[in-house]
Short mmCIF file of all heavy atoms in Angstrom, two decimals:
data_model
loop_
_atom_site.label_atom_id
_atom_site.label_comp_id
_atom_site.label_asym_id
_atom_site.label_seq_id
_atom_site.Cartn_x
_atom_site.Cartn_y
_atom_site.Cartn_z
N MET A 1373 -1.14 -8.55 36.47
CA MET A 1373 -1.76 -9.32 37.57
C MET A 1373 -0.66 -9.92 38.47
O MET A 1373 0.35 -10.40 38.04
CB MET A 1373 -2.58 -10.48 36.99
CG MET A 1373 -3.84 -9.97 36.25
SD MET A 1373 -4.86 -11.32 35.57
CE MET A 1373 -5.35 -12.18 37.06
N THR A 1374 -0.90 -9.75 39.77
CA THR A 1374 0.02 -10.25 40.79
C THR A 1374 0.12 -11.79 40.67
O THR A 1374 -0.73 -12.46 40.10
CB THR A 1374 -0.33 -9.82 42.16
OG1 THR A 1374 -1.68 -10.41 42.44
CG2 THR A 1374 -0.44 -8.30 42.29
N ASP A 1375 1.16 -12.31 41.29
CA ASP A 1375 1.33 -13.77 41.32
C ASP A 1375 0.09 -14.48 41.92
O ASP A 1375 -0.38 -15.49 41.39
CB ASP A 1375 2.55 -14.12 42.09
CG ASP A 1375 3.83 -13.70 41.40
OD1 ASP A 1375 3.81 -13.40 40.21
OD2 ASP A 1375 4.87 -13.60 42.12
N GLU A 1376 -0.41 -13.88 42.99
CA GLU A 1376 -1.59 -14.50 43.66
C GLU A 1376 -2.78 -14.40 42.72
O GLU A 1376 -3.60 -15.39 42.63
CB GLU A 1376 -1.94 -13.78 44.94
CG GLU A 1376 -3.15 -14.37 45.68
CD GLU A 1376 -3.42 -13.72 47.01
OE1 GLU A 1376 -2.67 -12.78 47.38
OE2 GLU A 1376 -4.42 -14.07 47.60
N ALA A 1377 -3.01 -13.32 42.00
CA ALA A 1377 -4.11 -13.18 41.07
C ALA A 1377 -4.02 -14.18 39.96
O ALA A 1377 -5.03 -14.82 39.55
CB ALA A 1377 -4.22 -11.75 40.56
N VAL A 1378 -2.79 -14.37 39.43
CA VAL A 1378 -2.59 -15.29 38.32
C VAL A 1378 -2.89 -16.74 38.83
O VAL A 1378 -3.50 -17.52 38.13
CB VAL A 1378 -1.21 -15.21 37.74
CG1 VAL A 1378 -0.98 -16.29 36.66
CG2 VAL A 1378 -0.98 -13.87 37.15
N ALA A 1379 -2.39 -17.03 40.00
CA ALA A 1379 -2.58 -18.35 40.56
C ALA A 1379 -4.09 -18.64 40.77
O ALA A 1379 -4.54 -19.77 40.57
CB ALA A 1379 -1.89 -18.49 41.91
N ARG A 1380 -4.87 -17.68 41.14
CA ARG A 1380 -6.26 -17.81 41.29
C ARG A 1380 -6.98 -17.98 39.98
O ARG A 1380 -7.98 -18.76 39.85
CB ARG A 1380 -6.89 -16.65 42.04
CG ARG A 1380 -6.57 -16.57 43.53
CD ARG A 1380 -7.25 -15.41 44.15
NE ARG A 1380 -6.97 -15.33 45.55
CZ ARG A 1380 -7.59 -15.99 46.54
NH1 ARG A 1380 -8.52 -16.83 46.20
NH2 ARG A 1380 -7.27 -15.84 47.79
N TYR A 1381 -6.46 -17.30 38.98
CA TYR A 1381 -7.09 -17.26 37.66
C TYR A 1381 -6.86 -18.53 36.83
O TYR A 1381 -7.80 -19.15 36.34
CB TYR A 1381 -6.56 -16.02 36.91
CG TYR A 1381 -6.91 -15.97 35.44
CD1 TYR A 1381 -8.08 -16.40 34.91
CD2 TYR A 1381 -6.01 -15.40 34.53
CE1 TYR A 1381 -8.39 -16.37 33.57
CE2 TYR A 1381 -6.24 -15.26 33.23
CZ TYR A 1381 -7.42 -15.75 32.76
OH TYR A 1381 -7.71 -15.67 31.38
N LYS A 1382 -5.64 -18.94 36.72
CA LYS A 1382 -5.39 -20.11 35.84
C LYS A 1382 -4.24 -21.01 36.27
O LYS A 1382 -4.35 -22.23 36.26
CB LYS A 1382 -5.18 -19.72 34.39
CG LYS A 1382 -4.20 -18.55 34.17
CD LYS A 1382 -4.22 -18.17 32.67
CE LYS A 1382 -3.32 -16.98 32.38
NZ LYS A 1382 -3.37 -16.63 30.95
N ARG A 1383 -3.12 -20.46 36.70
CA ARG A 1383 -1.99 -21.30 37.10
C ARG A 1383 -0.92 -20.47 37.74
O ARG A 1383 -0.93 -19.25 37.69
CB ARG A 1383 -1.39 -22.00 35.86
CG ARG A 1383 -0.63 -21.13 34.88
CD ARG A 1383 -1.39 -20.03 34.24
NE ARG A 1383 -0.79 -19.30 33.19
CZ ARG A 1383 -0.07 -18.20 33.31
NH1 ARG A 1383 0.18 -17.74 34.50
NH2 ARG A 1383 0.33 -17.49 32.30
N MET A 1384 0.06 -21.15 38.37
CA MET A 1384 1.14 -20.41 38.94
C MET A 1384 2.00 -19.74 37.84
O MET A 1384 2.28 -20.44 36.85
CB MET A 1384 2.03 -21.38 39.78
CG MET A 1384 1.43 -21.80 41.07
SD MET A 1384 1.15 -20.49 42.20
CE MET A 1384 2.81 -19.87 42.38
N PRO A 1385 2.35 -18.52 37.98
CA PRO A 1385 3.17 -17.92 36.91
C PRO A 1385 4.58 -18.49 36.94
O PRO A 1385 5.14 -18.82 37.98
CB PRO A 1385 3.19 -16.45 37.32
CG PRO A 1385 2.93 -16.42 38.78
CD PRO A 1385 2.00 -17.59 39.01
N TYR A 1389 6.03 -11.73 39.63
CA TYR A 1389 5.42 -10.45 39.35
C TYR A 1389 6.45 -9.34 39.06
O TYR A 1389 6.31 -8.55 38.13
CB TYR A 1389 4.47 -10.02 40.47
CG TYR A 1389 4.04 -8.58 40.39
CD1 TYR A 1389 3.06 -8.21 39.53
CD2 TYR A 1389 4.65 -7.62 41.23
CE1 TYR A 1389 2.68 -6.88 39.44
CE2 TYR A 1389 4.27 -6.29 41.14
CZ TYR A 1389 3.30 -5.93 40.24
OH TYR A 1389 2.93 -4.59 40.16
N ARG A 1392 7.82 -9.67 35.67
CA ARG A 1392 6.78 -9.43 34.62
C ARG A 1392 6.48 -7.90 34.57
O ARG A 1392 6.30 -7.33 33.55
CB ARG A 1392 5.50 -10.22 34.92
CG ARG A 1392 5.66 -11.71 34.68
CD ARG A 1392 4.38 -12.46 34.87
NE ARG A 1392 3.99 -12.56 36.25
CZ ARG A 1392 2.84 -12.09 36.73
NH1 ARG A 1392 2.06 -11.41 35.95
NH2 ARG A 1392 2.59 -12.20 38.03
N GLN A 1408 -2.45 -5.48 39.44
CA GLN A 1408 -3.87 -5.79 39.51
C GLN A 1408 -3.95 -6.97 40.41
O GLN A 1408 -3.46 -8.07 40.13
CB GLN A 1408 -4.44 -6.14 38.10
CG GLN A 1408 -5.96 -6.42 38.25
CD GLN A 1408 -6.65 -6.38 36.86
OE1 GLN A 1408 -6.49 -5.48 36.06
NE2 GLN A 1408 -7.46 -7.46 36.62
N GLU A 1409 -4.59 -6.83 41.58
CA GLU A 1409 -4.63 -7.80 42.61
C GLU A 1409 -5.55 -8.95 42.43
O GLU A 1409 -5.40 -10.01 43.08
CB GLU A 1409 -4.97 -7.09 43.96
CG GLU A 1409 -4.02 -5.94 44.32
CD GLU A 1409 -2.70 -6.34 44.81
OE1 GLU A 1409 -2.48 -7.60 45.02
OE2 GLU A 1409 -1.82 -5.50 44.96
N THR A 1410 -6.60 -8.77 41.55
CA THR A 1410 -7.53 -9.85 41.29
C THR A 1410 -7.84 -9.89 39.81
O THR A 1410 -7.43 -9.01 39.07
CB THR A 1410 -8.85 -9.60 42.06
OG1 THR A 1410 -9.43 -8.40 41.51
CG2 THR A 1410 -8.61 -9.42 43.57
N LEU A 1411 -8.55 -10.93 39.43
CA LEU A 1411 -9.02 -10.99 38.07
C LEU A 1411 -9.98 -9.89 37.79
O LEU A 1411 -10.10 -9.36 36.64
CB LEU A 1411 -9.64 -12.37 37.77
CG LEU A 1411 -10.12 -12.63 36.34
CD1 LEU A 1411 -8.98 -12.49 35.39
CD2 LEU A 1411 -10.73 -14.07 36.24
N MET A 1488 4.82 -22.57 46.67
CA MET A 1488 4.58 -21.22 46.18
C MET A 1488 3.12 -20.81 46.37
O MET A 1488 2.78 -19.68 46.78
CB MET A 1488 4.96 -21.08 44.67
CG MET A 1488 6.43 -21.23 44.42
SD MET A 1488 6.81 -21.27 42.62
CE MET A 1488 6.17 -19.66 42.17
N GLN A 1489 2.21 -21.73 46.10
CA GLN A 1489 0.78 -21.45 46.24
C GLN A 1489 0.43 -21.14 47.70
O GLN A 1489 -0.33 -20.24 48.03
CB GLN A 1489 -0.07 -22.56 45.71
CG GLN A 1489 -0.08 -22.65 44.18
CD GLN A 1489 -0.94 -23.78 43.71
OE1 GLN A 1489 -1.13 -24.78 44.41
NE2 GLN A 1489 -1.41 -23.69 42.54
N ALA A 1491 2.41 -19.97 50.00
CA ALA A 1491 2.98 -18.71 50.35
C ALA A 1491 2.17 -17.55 49.79
O ALA A 1491 2.00 -16.53 50.44
CB ALA A 1491 4.46 -18.64 49.85
N LEU A 1492 1.66 -17.72 48.56
CA LEU A 1492 0.94 -16.65 47.86
C LEU A 1492 -0.54 -16.53 48.40
O LEU A 1492 -1.01 -15.45 48.66
CB LEU A 1492 0.88 -16.92 46.37
CG LEU A 1492 2.16 -16.63 45.58
CD1 LEU A 1492 1.99 -17.10 44.17
CD2 LEU A 1492 2.45 -15.11 45.62
N LYS A 1493 -1.17 -17.66 48.55
CA LYS A 1493 -2.64 -17.64 48.78
C LYS A 1493 -3.04 -17.91 50.22
O LYS A 1493 -4.16 -17.60 50.61
CB LYS A 1493 -3.30 -18.64 47.87
CG LYS A 1493 -3.07 -18.42 46.38
CD LYS A 1493 -3.61 -19.51 45.51
CE LYS A 1493 -5.11 -19.58 45.61
NZ LYS A 1493 -5.68 -20.57 44.68
N GLY A 1494 -2.12 -18.53 51.01
CA GLY A 1494 -2.48 -18.84 52.34
C GLY A 1494 -3.27 -20.15 52.46
O GLY A 1494 -2.93 -20.99 53.29
N LEU A 1495 -4.24 -20.32 51.60
CA LEU A 1495 -4.99 -21.57 51.60
C LEU A 1495 -5.09 -22.08 50.16
O LEU A 1495 -5.43 -21.36 49.22
CB LEU A 1495 -6.43 -21.31 52.13
CG LEU A 1495 -7.32 -22.56 52.10
CD1 LEU A 1495 -7.14 -23.35 53.42
CD2 LEU A 1495 -8.78 -22.20 51.88
N GLU A 1520 -14.00 -13.16 40.43
CA GLU A 1520 -12.81 -13.98 40.44
C GLU A 1520 -13.15 -15.39 39.85
O GLU A 1520 -14.23 -15.86 39.95
CB GLU A 1520 -12.24 -14.16 41.87
CG GLU A 1520 -11.63 -12.93 42.43
CD GLU A 1520 -10.89 -13.22 43.76
OE1 GLU A 1520 -10.83 -14.44 44.10
OE2 GLU A 1520 -10.39 -12.29 44.35
N ASP A 1525 -6.51 -25.92 43.22
CA ASP A 1525 -5.04 -25.57 43.10
C ASP A 1525 -4.18 -26.79 42.83
O ASP A 1525 -3.05 -26.63 42.28
CB ASP A 1525 -4.58 -24.85 44.35
CG ASP A 1525 -5.39 -23.63 44.69
OD1 ASP A 1525 -5.38 -22.70 43.80
OD2 ASP A 1525 -5.98 -23.50 45.75
N LYS A 1715 -9.32 -20.95 56.37
CA LYS A 1715 -8.19 -20.00 56.22
C LYS A 1715 -8.11 -19.09 57.43
O LYS A 1715 -6.95 -18.83 57.99
CB LYS A 1715 -8.31 -19.22 54.92
CG LYS A 1715 -7.13 -18.28 54.63
CD LYS A 1715 -7.29 -17.58 53.33
CE LYS A 1715 -6.11 -16.67 53.03
NZ LYS A 1715 -6.24 -16.03 51.70
#
Side-chain angles (χ1 to χ4, degrees):
M1373 290 180 67
T1374 62
D1375 293 340
E1376 181 178 357
V1378 175
R1380 287 183 180 276
Y1381 167 37
K1382 48 186 177 181
R1383 72 300 188 265
M1384 287 297 300
Y1389 168 78
R1392 290 186 288 116
Q1408 182 165 313
E1409 303 286 350
T1410 66
L1411 182 59
M1488 293 174 62
Q1489 286 180 336
L1492 284 173
K1493 301 174 65 176
L1495 179 88
E1520 289 191 3
D1525 302 302
K1715 183 176 181 180

